[in-house]
Amino acid sequence: MAHSQADYQKHVRTYIGVFLALAVLTAVTVGVSYIDLSTGPAIILAVFIASIKASLVMAFFMHLLNEKQVITSLLLLTAFFFGVLMILPVLTSG
Amino acid sequence: MSEAVIKHIADPHPVTGVTNSKLGIWCFIASEVMLFGGLFSTYILLRTGAGADWPIGSDLLNVPLATLNTMILITSSITMVMAWASLTINKFGAYKKYMTLTVLLGVAFLIVKSFEYGMKFEHHIYPSKNNFYAIYFVMTGLHVLHVIGGLVVNLYLLLPGSKLWHKAPEQFMGRIEAAGLYWHFVDLVWIFLFPTLYLL
């Protein structure tokens, strides 16, 4: 998959932007942990920020924005079963 | 005996539209998501079961060291993607530079982690201490094993494996892309482990 020099420069700018966003969001993650929140909202906020960071990595570093349908379908199936795994302990705990 | 040929490792398969190696690494990553998913599910079960008795991670674990490791892994993700991007414009020297940085950052992560574990062991804190430390050591330990696995692959692709670039550049780029996808996945796992274990 050869790129032109212009494409390369565009990609590099995107990668640097994503890196800076990840660094800022890491600082935000640590910062909000010092806010006196109860456990529930604290977990929701932390997982929300982590999800934004994960989306950035998947979309830009793993190139999922431009990926073929076979890969995105596979990942949607995985995400569904991952979701089931996350919900199961909540549903089954008394 | 005729030599076995693996088809569609450099050119896309006509049915899937992607190379078999790319489909393979994504299937592997999907299985890894379920592996770590099982452990995150266990964490939720233990935490909801313990209620208010569950400790706050930041009271027991070293947040500055974990934050440093987060930054190290994020930086290694950009050097990894830059290694791949360098090959797309035929800059093999730049690939070598970025891949070396990726390997060094991976080693730095392990060094920081060893300090963190070392401090716990000095205080006789092991997985058997309680459920919190059990899930902490299992999840971070499994993650460390994944970092080591990625380092071995990256080191191979940096040194002996890089000879392939001169014979079959498309196939070599496919390998770097696959190794990169795995490395980014290792970063993704840490992105969730960090707040879950260390901050909440």
Side-chain angles (χ1 to χ4, degrees):
Chain A
M1 192 200 290
H3 285 157
S4 67
Q5 189 70 31
D7 280 345
Y8 171 78
Q9 295 293 352
K10 200 174 106 186
H11 281 119
V12 170
R13 277 196 295 274
T14 306
Y15 296 148
I16 291 171
V18 170
F19 169 73
L20 292 175
L22 290 172
V24 169
L25 286 169
T26 299
V28 172
T29 307
V30 177
V32 296
S33 73
Y34 289 102
I35 300 171
D36 193 20
L37 292 172
S38 57
T39 308
I43 290 174
I44 291 168
L45 190 58
V47 172
F48 176 69
I49 298 169
S51 301
I52 295 173
K53 288 170 73 180
S55 304
L56 287 171
V57 171
M58 288 192 288
F60 297 102
F61 288 170
M62 299 172 96
H63 305 121
L64 276 180
L65 277 181
N66 307 309
E67 201 45 275
K68 292 279 188 291
Q69 197 187 354
V70 65
I71 304 291
T72 49
S73 304
L74 171 78
L75 289 177
L76 282 175
L77 192 67
T78 310
F80 170 76
F81 284 109
F82 181 82
V84 170
L85 268 182
M86 294 305 107
I87 291 168
L88 264 181
V90 180
L91 292 181
T92 53
S93 62
Chain B
M1 193 195 294
S2 63
E3 195 179 333
V5 177
I6 305 171
K7 292 178 180 172
H8 302 297
I9 48 175
D11 59 307
H13 191 285
V15 175
T16 61
V18 296
T19 59
N20 284 345
S21 42
K22 188 186 245 189
L23 184 60
I25 192 71
W26 273 115
C27 286
F28 175 66
I29 289 172
S31 74
E32 291 279 88
V33 168
M34 298 314 288
L35 171 67
F36 278 99
L39 288 172
F40 274 105
S41 186
T42 305
Y43 168 84
I44 295 170
L45 187 69
L46 289 173
R47 179 152 192 167
T48 52
D53 294 334
W54 191 262
I56 302 296
S58 55
D59 293 341
L60 303 177
L61 303 175
N62 194 320
V63 176
L65 278 188
T67 308
L68 174 64
N69 256 351
T70 305
M71 290 311 298
I72 288 172
L73 269 195
I74 289 171
T75 310
S76 79
S77 256
I78 192 174
T79 56
M80 186 77 206
V81 79
M82 286 300 295
W84 172 80
S86 301
L87 292 177
T88 65
I89 52 163
N90 292 314
K91 293 213 167 165
F92 187 64
Y95 156 75
K96 285 258 183 184
K97 184 181 79 180
Y98 286 119
M99 192 54 124
T100 304
L101 280 172
T102 308
V103 169
L104 290 176
L105 287 163
V107 171
F109 178 90
L110 291 180
I111 291 170
V112 172
K113 201 79 206 148
S114 70
F115 278 117
E116 197 187 321
Y117 279 165
M119 284 189 279
K120 290 283 166 266
F121 297 152
E122 270 178 28
H123 293 92
H124 305 287
I125 295 169
Y126 301 106
S128 56
K129 187 170 175 67
N130 57 35
N131 279 345
F132 175 82
Y133 280 113
I135 198 77
Y136 159 76
F137 277 111
V138 168
M139 291 181 93
T140 57
L142 186 67
H143 181 261
V144 161
L145 287 178
H146 279 74
V147 172
I148 294 170
L151 270 179
V152 170
V153 172
N154 288 346
L155 210 53
Y156 170 77
L157 292 169
L158 175 65
L159 298 170
S162 68
K163 287 176 192 155
L164 186 66
W165 168 254
H166 306 290
K167 283 193 297 184
E170 284 293 328
Q171 190 184 345
F172 183 68
M173 276 175 62
R175 286 187 180 182
I176 301 305
E177 188 179 17
L181 287 170
Y182 172 80
W183 193 253
H184 299 313
F185 168 75
V186 171
D187 185 18
L188 276 185
V189 172
W190 184 258
I191 282 173
F192 284 99
L193 276 183
F194 173 53
T196 306
L197 292 175
Y198 290 83
L199 300 177
L200 295 173

